PDB file of all heavy atoms in Angstrom:
ATOM      1  N   TYR A  35      14.468  27.471 -24.391  1.00 75.00           N
ATOM      2  CA  TYR A  35      13.795  26.987 -23.188  1.00 75.00           C
ATOM      3  C   TYR A  35      14.804  26.711 -22.079  1.00 75.00           C
ATOM      4  O   TYR A  35      14.620  27.116 -20.927  1.00 75.00           O
ATOM      5  CB  TYR A  35      13.036  25.708 -23.555  1.00 75.00           C
ATOM      6  CG  TYR A  35      12.030  25.226 -22.534  1.00 75.00           C
ATOM      7  CD1 TYR A  35      10.684  25.504 -22.677  1.00 75.00           C
ATOM      8  CD2 TYR A  35      12.427  24.464 -21.435  1.00 75.00           C
ATOM      9  CE1 TYR A  35       9.754  25.049 -21.765  1.00 75.00           C
ATOM     10  CE2 TYR A  35      11.505  24.009 -20.509  1.00 75.00           C
ATOM     11  CZ  TYR A  35      10.167  24.303 -20.686  1.00 75.00           C
ATOM     12  OH  TYR A  35       9.260  23.867 -19.768  1.00 75.00           O
ATOM     13  N   ASN A  36      15.894  26.038 -22.432  1.00 74.00           N
ATOM     14  CA  ASN A  36      16.922  25.724 -21.441  1.00 74.00           C
ATOM     15  C   ASN A  36      17.640  26.976 -20.939  1.00 74.00           C
ATOM     16  O   ASN A  36      18.018  27.059 -19.762  1.00 74.00           O
ATOM     17  CB  ASN A  36      17.928  24.734 -22.022  1.00 74.00           C
ATOM     18  CG  ASN A  36      17.371  23.326 -22.092  1.00 74.00           C
ATOM     19  OD1 ASN A  36      16.409  22.992 -21.393  1.00 74.00           O
ATOM     20  ND2 ASN A  36      17.946  22.492 -22.934  1.00 74.00           N
ATOM     21  N   LYS A  37      17.854  27.942 -21.833  1.00 77.00           N
ATOM     22  CA  LYS A  37      18.492  29.196 -21.406  1.00 77.00           C
ATOM     23  C   LYS A  37      17.621  29.919 -20.383  1.00 77.00           C
ATOM     24  O   LYS A  37      18.118  30.460 -19.387  1.00 77.00           O
ATOM     25  CB  LYS A  37      18.745  30.099 -22.614  1.00 77.00           C
ATOM     26  CG  LYS A  37      19.935  29.666 -23.467  1.00 77.00           C
ATOM     27  CD  LYS A  37      20.144  30.615 -24.629  1.00 77.00           C
ATOM     28  CE  LYS A  37      21.330  30.165 -25.487  1.00 77.00           C
ATOM     29  NZ  LYS A  37      21.532  31.066 -26.652  1.00 77.00           N
ATOM     30  N   LEU A  38      16.312  29.945 -20.630  1.00 79.00           N
ATOM     31  CA  LEU A  38      15.387  30.568 -19.679  1.00 79.00           C
ATOM     32  C   LEU A  38      15.465  29.873 -18.331  1.00 79.00           C
ATOM     33  O   LEU A  38      15.511  30.526 -17.279  1.00 79.00           O
ATOM     34  CB  LEU A  38      13.959  30.494 -20.230  1.00 79.00           C
ATOM     35  CG  LEU A  38      12.840  30.946 -19.279  1.00 79.00           C
ATOM     36  CD1 LEU A  38      12.991  32.424 -18.963  1.00 79.00           C
ATOM     37  CD2 LEU A  38      11.467  30.665 -19.896  1.00 79.00           C
ATOM     38  N   THR A  39      15.520  28.545 -18.369  1.00 78.00           N
ATOM     39  CA  THR A  39      15.570  27.777 -17.121  1.00 78.00           C
ATOM     40  C   THR A  39      16.882  27.994 -16.385  1.00 78.00           C
ATOM     41  O   THR A  39      16.905  28.294 -15.187  1.00 78.00           O
ATOM     42  CB  THR A  39      15.391  26.278 -17.418  1.00 78.00           C
ATOM     43  OG1 THR A  39      14.147  26.080 -18.100  1.00 78.00           O
ATOM     44  CG2 THR A  39      15.382  25.467 -16.129  1.00 78.00           C
ATOM     45  N   LEU A  40      18.006  27.839 -17.102  1.00 75.00           N
ATOM     46  CA  LEU A  40      19.321  27.868 -16.465  1.00 75.00           C
ATOM     47  C   LEU A  40      19.768  29.272 -16.070  1.00 75.00           C
ATOM     48  O   LEU A  40      20.466  29.441 -15.061  1.00 75.00           O
ATOM     49  CB  LEU A  40      20.359  27.248 -17.396  1.00 75.00           C
ATOM     50  CG  LEU A  40      20.177  25.753 -17.699  1.00 75.00           C
ATOM     51  CD1 LEU A  40      21.190  25.288 -18.727  1.00 75.00           C
ATOM     52  CD2 LEU A  40      20.293  24.926 -16.424  1.00 75.00           C
ATOM     53  N   GLN A  41      19.373  30.278 -16.853  1.00 79.00           N
ATOM     54  CA  GLN A  41      19.868  31.630 -16.613  1.00 79.00           C
ATOM     55  C   GLN A  41      18.943  32.471 -15.736  1.00 79.00           C
ATOM     56  O   GLN A  41      19.395  33.444 -15.123  1.00 79.00           O
ATOM     57  CB  GLN A  41      20.066  32.359 -17.958  1.00 79.00           C
ATOM     58  CG  GLN A  41      21.022  31.674 -18.906  1.00 79.00           C
ATOM     59  CD  GLN A  41      22.445  31.613 -18.389  1.00 79.00           C
ATOM     60  OE1 GLN A  41      22.903  32.523 -17.697  1.00 79.00           O
ATOM     61  NE2 GLN A  41      23.163  30.555 -18.715  1.00 79.00           N
ATOM     62  N   VAL A  42      17.660  32.105 -15.640  1.00 81.00           N
ATOM     63  CA  VAL A  42      16.708  32.932 -14.905  1.00 81.00           C
ATOM     64  C   VAL A  42      16.026  32.162 -13.774  1.00 81.00           C
ATOM     65  O   VAL A  42      16.159  32.504 -12.594  1.00 81.00           O
ATOM     66  CB  VAL A  42      15.629  33.512 -15.851  1.00 81.00           C
ATOM     67  CG1 VAL A  42      14.646  34.373 -15.069  1.00 81.00           C
ATOM     68  CG2 VAL A  42      16.272  34.323 -16.960  1.00 81.00           C
ATOM     69  N   VAL A  43      15.302  31.107 -14.125  1.00 82.00           N
ATOM     70  CA  VAL A  43      14.462  30.429 -13.141  1.00 82.00           C
ATOM     71  C   VAL A  43      15.290  29.620 -12.145  1.00 82.00           C
ATOM     72  O   VAL A  43      15.020  29.654 -10.933  1.00 82.00           O
ATOM     73  CB  VAL A  43      13.422  29.530 -13.847  1.00 82.00           C
ATOM     74  CG1 VAL A  43      12.523  28.847 -12.812  1.00 82.00           C
ATOM     75  CG2 VAL A  43      12.568  30.359 -14.795  1.00 82.00           C
ATOM     76  N   LEU A  44      16.291  28.889 -12.617  1.00 82.00           N
ATOM     77  CA  LEU A  44      17.126  28.104 -11.711  1.00 82.00           C
ATOM     78  C   LEU A  44      17.857  28.977 -10.692  1.00 82.00           C
ATOM     79  O   LEU A  44      17.815  28.687  -9.495  1.00 82.00           O
ATOM     80  CB  LEU A  44      18.121  27.253 -12.513  1.00 82.00           C
ATOM     81  CG  LEU A  44      19.160  26.493 -11.688  1.00 82.00           C
ATOM     82  CD1 LEU A  44      18.495  25.506 -10.737  1.00 82.00           C
ATOM     83  CD2 LEU A  44      20.145  25.761 -12.608  1.00 82.00           C
ATOM     84  N   PRO A  45      18.533  30.056 -11.109  1.00 84.00           N
ATOM     85  CA  PRO A  45      19.175  30.909 -10.101  1.00 84.00           C
ATOM     86  C   PRO A  45      18.182  31.485  -9.089  1.00 84.00           C
ATOM     87  O   PRO A  45      18.486  31.580  -7.903  1.00 84.00           O
ATOM     88  CB  PRO A  45      19.824  32.016 -10.943  1.00 84.00           C
ATOM     89  CG  PRO A  45      20.039  31.401 -12.282  1.00 84.00           C
ATOM     90  CD  PRO A  45      18.868  30.480 -12.482  1.00 84.00           C
ATOM     91  N   GLY A  46      16.991  31.852  -9.558  1.00 84.00           N
ATOM     92  CA  GLY A  46      15.981  32.374  -8.644  1.00 84.00           C
ATOM     93  C   GLY A  46      15.539  31.332  -7.632  1.00 84.00           C
ATOM     94  O   GLY A  46      15.381  31.622  -6.434  1.00 84.00           O
ATOM     95  N   PHE A  47      15.342  30.103  -8.115  1.00 85.00           N
ATOM     96  CA  PHE A  47      14.952  29.005  -7.228  1.00 85.00           C
ATOM     97  C   PHE A  47      16.046  28.723  -6.196  1.00 85.00           C
ATOM     98  O   PHE A  47      15.767  28.524  -5.009  1.00 85.00           O
ATOM     99  CB  PHE A  47      14.677  27.755  -8.056  1.00 85.00           C
ATOM    100  CG  PHE A  47      14.584  26.486  -7.262  1.00 85.00           C
ATOM    101  CD1 PHE A  47      13.450  26.190  -6.528  1.00 85.00           C
ATOM    102  CD2 PHE A  47      15.648  25.597  -7.226  1.00 85.00           C
ATOM    103  CE1 PHE A  47      13.364  25.027  -5.774  1.00 85.00           C
ATOM    104  CE2 PHE A  47      15.580  24.432  -6.482  1.00 85.00           C
ATOM    105  CZ  PHE A  47      14.423  24.153  -5.751  1.00 85.00           C
TER     106      PHE A  47
END
Side-chain angles (χ1 to χ4, degrees):
Y35 193 99
N36 285 340
K37 284 181 181 179
L38 173 64
T39 302
L40 295 175
Q41 302 296 326
V42 180
V43 181
L44 174 61
F47 166 77

